[in-house]
Amino acid sequence: MRFLIIGGSDAGISAALRARELAPDVEVTVVLADDFPNFSICGLPFFLSGETPDWHKLAHRTEFSGIELLRSHTATHIAVDDQTVEAADRAGTTKRLKYDRLLIATGAIPAMPPIEGLNLEGVYALHTMEDGFRIQPHLDRGVRSVVIIGSGYIGLEMADALVHRGINVTLVGRSQAVLPTVDWEFGKLIEGRLAEHGVEVRSDSVATGIERSGVGLVVHTSSESRANADLILVAAGVLPNSRLASDAGVELGCRSSIRVNRRMETSQVNVFAAGDCAETWHRVLEKNTYLPLGTTSHKQGRIAGENAVGGARQFAGSLGTQVVKVFDLAIGRTGLRDHEALEAGFSPCTVLATGFDHKAYYPGAKEIQTKITGDQRTGRLLGAQMIGNWQASIAKRIDIFAAALFHGMGVEDLNDLDLSYTPPLGSPWDVVQAAAQSWTNSGCRVFSTSTPR
Amino acid sequence: MRFLIIGGSDAGISAALRARELAPDVEVTVVLADDFPNFSICGLPFFLSGETPDWHKLAHRTEFSGIELLRSHTATHIAVDDQTVEAADRAGTTKRLKYDRLLIATGAIPAMPPIEGLNLEGVYALHTMEDGFRIQPHLDRGVRSVVIIGSGYIGLEMADALVHRGINVTLVGRSQAVLPTVDWEFGKLIEGRLAEHGVEVRSDSVATGIERSGVGLVVHTSSESRANADLILVAAGVLPNSRLASDAGVELGCRSSIRVNRRMETSQVNVFAAGDCAETWHRVLEKNTYLPLGTTSHKQGRIAGENAVGGARQFAGSLGTQVVKVFDLAIGRTGLRDHEALEAGFSPCTVLATGFDHKAYYPGAKEIQTKITGDQRTGRLLGAQMIGNWQASIAKRIDIFAAALFHGMGVEDLNDLDLSYTPPLGSPWDVVQAAAQSWTNSGCRVFSTSTPR
């Protein structure tokens, strides 16, 4: 049996590895458009900052034994009827590849704003290793100022990275505050930290055009007349790269991503999809969404790989868990925010709680702000957001919330979790639980002693 | 209604606060033997090290409004028939206190080894604030060497604390390696770190007697002839302080701790018990154990307080989750270790996995060693242990395992958790999940594609 995989990033390689683990006799081939199988593109900001000078280190792994890698080949056509894929190398020479099971893991492409000037020299998206290789020498030629269009997590990481290099940064974002995946107040805290590091933040501002001006570039924005720069980075989100699939008659779903069931099967027999090109089952919303994240790609790929070789495993679902480090801050979220929960038909109530990462009497305690969202009808935990120092275990505390959400726990039930404690690393009630108690005591939900638990 | 609580530490005060929250009309009185309600005795090592110079800061809280605190009173007798408690102040004057609901939260007492010399001047246990106040001035009088008897977490924290003060430490422990609550290999790693800091470790060694020798003290041990010291600390575990309860006809259970059901009710009507004097329901073993921990005391106290004023909440159970910091190491555990699981009738398999706290390409990555124990019959997660740098989020990663254990997850199911990721703070598969994959791929359990998940 031949298991063919289009795409050599997280989902594709995870699928290949899992198939190889479970079914050593299956022939596994990965068609990848570049020469960088399973590289950590999330690491590009650190390559560009100079913190990770050797790009080879960005490889999640370098060992692919038993997996055939067809490098620098782009899949150009899928024929589901005769189960073949056409792939072309960079010279345009094509091959036809037969499959018994196919995984489409073509990822995403950068979403470019509908403005003039995107094709000017010095304007870049940052999505692939090759994007990184184009930007780095340009930065090395003495770039002094950069405008970043987009204030999501990649925009923020790049702002941090460029400041690390001593470059002046202007960050233009359309949302009310940076990092629109968390609540506005947290975004404003991040903006404060950006400003302390000299980043000029223009939130609530849309880039309306780019033009060359002398030796530099100018970005016109809706809020300010212009922002000058030697280089412009566009980090305005991504779109699913689903064209190849749809041309082959594979049904699309949310935001034109490939429709999949929880086994990662598409509408076409023997054709799976996973990663940033595909829909994502949301465990709290209990429906498919488009929520491209590297962690999800790994999971979906692993499940697709398992099922392609005879498994019947379901994707357990995403909670949209994310974390980002910006200077000395870490900001994380999981589950639904208040307005998202409301849209989904819950009766959310959200409370802000502050606490310390460990007992304040032990030196070095750091404040953490937690927003916790629960459903007032059922008491169920719906989501959490946290912000604090990056060494305050924000990421792993968000993961405690994520584990609780995964199991549909009630907010109050978080107090039942037997979490670890020692004064230098926590509190008898961890901030996760203290936030839950704040929620319970806030009047979000009336406690009823008449209900046995 | 009067809710009377004997004991003003974690369990007693948590109960008082919870009762106050839920039933403002109930009269809540706490009888406490000293003047330190809800102080963090876990913080004593940091007070003695000088890291927390002001002992007042050890108070978990200082606000007890609506709660009557009867300080420096020791309960001497409980009469369950007429629902009264007799309490004596330090002058011996007694009062009789009526109760409608009683909570016994008398905590634990230090376990003293059966040896001569414990009553010599300069020999201390470390269990109460007052112990701390006796030891501190003695240390300040220029103590140069200390022998610690007991190499559990308090012994280790005190070794760290005394080294911090420049004192020579000898650590005598009866177990094969220090910290017998984790596996031997981890204990040996800790011993290595202790030795680097000049601590003389004598494991597999029993203190057989203490005597005065000139101006100093001598500890005789089974392994070495003697260890000299200016001061001796006994940190050899604790025993439940259950005498008052048993004298009142309250039934005892495991290791003479007070028998309770999961509502924290004792054998006597209207009498609850919680904290280090009481039994602890173990969520994996599904039976009562004696497992005194501050986190559990807080939880049990909160539940007892809720139930005393009319609630019907059950204690969800302990997993024995613990963490300790020793120099730059953090060591955590949750659930069962291999031999504990075997004794309990499981078919355990345990795997050691190593990984990094975050992507190795980002500066500062720290290695974490994880031991993961699963049941080979069912695939269920049974427990985990971790060791690594104290800033590698060991404590909160153990908590992810604890949350998974709480819900009876399978080892393989850990891969379904949607955990956070950014290169400076984690990996697409967190070390928690990578350890789970190591377990699955180790041959611990044969994967079966025929079982739908």
Side-chain angles (χ1 to χ4, degrees):
Chain A
M1 187 174 92
R2 186 174 206 181
F3 178 28
L4 184 65
I5 296 165
I6 305 174
S9 193
D10 297 342
I13 298 293
S14 296
L17 292 167
R18 187 64 173 153
R20 170 62 51 254
E21 268 171 24
L22 300 177
D25 51 318
V26 171
E27 196 182 326
V28 180
T29 303
V30 179
V31 178
L32 65 158
D34 58 22
D35 195 27
F36 308 106
N38 205 196
F39 268 63
S40 175
I41 56 170
C42 300
L44 285 172
F46 313 108
F47 167 59
L48 294 174
S49 72
E51 290 160 288
T52 305
D54 180 3
W55 61 264
H56 296 90
K57 294 224 155 54
L58 295 185
H60 279 310
R61 61 183 57 71
T62 52
E63 164 57 37
F64 301 99
S65 67
I67 296 164
E68 190 191 352
L69 294 176
L70 199 60
R71 295 165 190 256
S72 301
H73 274 73
T74 303
T76 51
H77 182 68
I78 302 169
V80 294
D81 292 338
D82 62 350
Q83 302 205 152
T84 58
V85 169
E86 195 178 82
D89 66 15
R90 293 195 173 185
T93 312
T94 61
K95 341 182 123 80
R96 286 176 78 83
L97 305 162
K98 187 86 189 138
Y99 68 80
D100 298 295
R101 301 284 186 282
L102 177 68
L103 172 64
I104 305 175
T106 44
I109 50 175
M112 300 307 273
I115 59 174
E116 297 285 309
L118 291 173
N119 55 350
L120 289 170
E121 201 198 318
V123 180
Y124 300 94
L126 177 60
H127 190 69
T128 64
M129 288 302 295
E130 284 162 349
D131 291 335
F133 297 147
R134 277 190 293 268
I135 295 167
Q136 199 223 19
H138 194 146
L139 291 174
D140 286 347
R141 287 200 299 274
V143 160
R144 300 184 53 176
S145 59
V146 171
V147 172
I148 301 171
I149 299 174
S151 60
Y153 63 96
I154 295 170
L156 290 172
E157 288 177 331
M158 280 308 303
D160 181 328
L162 295 169
V163 166
H164 192 87
R165 288 181 69 124
I167 293 170
N168 292 318
V169 177
T170 303
L171 187 65
V172 177
R174 63 168 65 229
S175 51
Q176 196 184 0
V178 299
L179 200 62
T181 44
V182 298
D183 282 0
W184 177 85
E185 311 94 286
F186 284 10
K188 286 295 171 198
L189 291 174
I190 303 166
E191 289 186 5
R193 194 64 101 252
L194 289 162
E196 284 168 30
H197 285 85
V199 176
E200 188 184 331
V201 180
R202 297 191 190 168
S203 288
D204 211 357
S205 180
V206 177
T208 53
I210 302 172
E211 58 181 23
R212 181 152 294 284
S213 161
V215 293
L217 294 161
V218 177
V219 180
H220 296 276
T221 71
S222 59
S223 62
E224 306 267 341
S225 54
R226 44 198 282 150
N228 295 291
D230 300 328
L231 188 150
I232 293 169
L233 270 184
V234 180
V238 297
L239 301 170
N241 186 15
S242 56
R243 180 68 179 273
L244 180 74
S246 75
D247 284 351
V250 175
E251 200 181 322
L252 301 186
C254 292
R255 294 182 53 195
S256 298
S257 62
I258 301 170
R259 174 150 292 164
V260 286
N261 63 19
R262 291 177 64 189
R263 294 187 183 187
M264 308 315 299
E265 293 164 340
T266 69
S267 63
Q268 294 288 349
V269 69
N270 294 332
V271 180
F272 297 79
D276 291 358
C277 62
E279 289 183 326
T280 293
W281 176 258
H282 194 292
R283 194 167 173 93
V284 179
L285 295 175
E286 296 186 56
K287 66 174 186 183
N288 274 342
T289 55
Y290 182 62
L291 198 43
L293 288 165
T295 44
T296 303
S297 295
H298 277 85
K299 288 181 181 66
Q300 291 186 335
R302 191 166 185 264
I303 286 164
E306 184 163 332
N307 294 343
V309 299
R313 185 155 177 176
Q314 289 211 336
F315 175 55
S318 171
L319 302 163
T321 312
Q322 290 174 63
V323 68
V324 63
K325 174 184 175 295
V326 185
F327 299 111
D328 66 337
L329 289 177
I331 311 96
R333 70 163 286 183
T334 186
L336 304 181
R337 289 156 61 198
D338 201 277
H339 70 279
E340 295 165 341
L342 200 60
E343 278 163 29
F346 292 103
S347 299
C349 183
T350 298
V351 165
L352 175 69
T354 58
F356 287 98
D357 69 321
H358 63 252
K359 289 303 297 180
Y361 62 70
Y362 186 84
K366 296 175 181 77
E367 195 179 76
I368 297 174
Q369 294 195 34
T370 306
K371 288 190 86 165
I372 183 165
T373 301
D375 183 38
Q376 295 191 94
R377 275 199 296 267
T378 60
R380 181 179 163 195
L381 176 68
L382 296 173
Q385 303 165 68
M386 278 187 152
I387 188 168
N389 184 279
W390 74 296
Q391 289 179 316
S393 294
I394 299 284
K396 298 302 121 190
R397 284 186 160 103
I398 277 293
D399 290 349
I400 299 170
F401 280 119
L405 268 175
F406 185 93
H407 292 285
M409 290 185 89
V411 175
E412 171 61 23
D413 302 338
L414 287 169
N415 296 306
D416 289 337
L417 291 176
D418 184 18
L419 305 182
S420 63
Y421 164 54
T422 185
L425 298 171
S427 299
W429 299 111
D430 191 76
V431 284
V432 165
Q433 296 172 315
Q437 291 178 24
S438 292
W439 192 92
T440 303
N441 295 337
S442 69
C444 270
R445 181 170 171 249
V446 177
F447 176 83
S448 161
T449 52
S450 63
T451 312
R453 305 175 52 94
Chain B
M1 187 174 93
R2 186 174 205 183
F3 177 30
L4 184 65
I5 296 165
I6 305 174
S9 193
D10 297 341
I13 298 293
S14 296
L17 292 167
R18 187 63 173 154
R20 170 63 50 256
E21 267 171 24
L22 299 177
D25 51 317
V26 171
E27 196 183 326
V28 180
T29 303
V30 179
V31 178
L32 64 158
D34 58 21
D35 196 28
F36 308 106
N38 205 196
F39 268 63
S40 175
I41 55 170
C42 300
L44 285 173
F46 313 108
F47 167 58
L48 294 174
S49 73
E51 291 160 288
T52 305
D54 179 4
W55 61 265
H56 296 90
K57 294 224 155 60
L58 295 185
H60 278 310
R61 61 184 57 71
T62 52
E63 165 56 37
F64 302 98
S65 67
I67 297 165
E68 190 192 351
L69 294 176
L70 198 60
R71 295 166 190 256
S72 301
H73 274 73
T74 303
T76 51
H77 182 67
I78 302 169
V80 295
D81 293 338
D82 62 350
Q83 302 205 151
T84 58
V85 169
E86 193 178 81
D89 66 14
R90 293 196 173 187
T93 312
T94 61
K95 342 183 123 83
R96 285 176 78 84
L97 305 162
K98 185 87 190 137
Y99 68 80
D100 297 295
R101 300 284 186 281
L102 176 67
L103 172 64
I104 305 174
T106 43
I109 49 175
M112 300 307 272
I115 59 174
E116 298 284 311
L118 291 173
N119 55 350
L120 289 170
E121 202 197 317
V123 180
Y124 298 95
L126 177 60
H127 190 70
T128 64
M129 289 301 294
E130 284 163 350
D131 291 335
F133 297 148
R134 277 191 291 268
I135 296 168
Q136 198 222 19
H138 193 145
L139 291 174
D140 285 348
R141 287 201 298 274
V143 161
R144 299 182 54 175
S145 58
V146 171
V147 172
I148 301 171
I149 299 174
S151 61
Y153 63 95
I154 295 169
L156 291 172
E157 287 177 332
M158 279 308 304
D160 182 328
L162 295 170
V163 167
H164 192 86
R165 287 181 71 125
I167 293 171
N168 292 319
V169 177
T170 303
L171 188 64
V172 177
R174 64 168 64 229
S175 52
Q176 196 184 2
V178 299
L179 200 61
T181 45
V182 298
D183 282 359
W184 177 84
E185 311 95 284
F186 284 10
K188 286 294 170 198
L189 292 173
I190 303 166
E191 289 187 5
R193 195 64 100 251
L194 289 162
E196 284 169 30
H197 286 84
V199 177
E200 189 184 330
V201 180
R202 297 191 190 167
S203 288
D204 210 357
S205 180
V206 178
T208 53
I210 302 172
E211 57 181 22
R212 182 153 293 285
S213 160
V215 294
L217 293 161
V218 177
V219 179
H220 296 277
T221 70
S222 60
S223 62
E224 306 267 340
S225 54
R226 44 199 284 152
N228 294 291
D230 300 327
L231 189 150
I232 293 169
L233 270 183
V234 181
V238 296
L239 301 170
N241 187 13
S242 57
R243 181 69 178 273
L244 180 74
S246 74
D247 284 350
V250 175
E251 200 180 321
L252 302 187
C254 291
R255 293 181 55 193
S256 298
S257 62
I258 300 170
R259 174 151 292 165
V260 286
N261 63 20
R262 291 178 65 190
R263 294 187 184 188
M264 308 316 300
E265 293 163 343
T266 69
S267 62
Q268 293 288 350
V269 68
N270 294 331
V271 181
F272 297 80
D276 291 359
C277 62
E279 290 184 326
T280 294
W281 176 257
H282 195 291
R283 194 167 172 92
V284 179
L285 295 175
E286 297 185 56
K287 64 175 187 183
N288 274 342
T289 54
Y290 182 61
L291 198 44
L293 287 166
T295 45
T296 301
S297 294
H298 277 85
K299 287 183 182 66
Q300 290 185 337
R302 192 166 184 264
I303 286 164
E306 184 163 330
N307 293 344
V309 298
R313 185 154 176 177
Q314 289 211 336
F315 174 55
S318 171
L319 302 163
T321 312
Q322 290 174 64
V323 69
V324 62
K325 174 183 175 296
V326 185
F327 299 111
D328 66 335
L329 289 177
I331 311 97
R333 69 163 285 183
T334 186
L336 305 181
R337 291 156 62 198
D338 201 277
H339 70 279
E340 294 165 341
L342 199 60
E343 278 162 28
F346 293 102
S347 300
C349 183
T350 299
V351 165
L352 174 70
T354 59
F356 286 98
D357 69 322
H358 63 252
K359 289 303 297 182
Y361 61 71
Y362 186 84
K366 296 174 181 76
E367 195 179 77
I368 297 174
Q369 294 195 33
T370 307
K371 288 190 85 165
I372 184 167
T373 301
D375 183 37
Q376 295 191 93
R377 276 199 295 267
T378 61
R380 182 178 163 196
L381 176 69
L382 296 173
Q385 302 165 69
M386 277 187 153
I387 188 168
N389 186 279
W390 73 296
Q391 289 179 317
S393 294
I394 298 284
K396 298 302 121 189
R397 285 187 159 103
I398 277 292
D399 290 349
I400 299 171
F401 280 118
L405 267 176
F406 185 92
H407 292 285
M409 289 184 88
V411 175
E412 171 61 24
D413 301 339
L414 287 169
N415 296 305
D416 288 338
L417 291 176
D418 184 18
L419 305 181
S420 62
Y421 165 54
T422 184
L425 299 171
S427 299
W429 299 110
D430 190 76
V431 284
V432 164
Q433 296 172 316
Q437 291 178 23
S438 292
W439 192 92
T440 304
N441 294 337
S442 69
C444 271
R445 181 169 171 249
V446 178
F447 176 83
S448 161
T449 52
S450 63
T451 312
R453 304 174 55 93

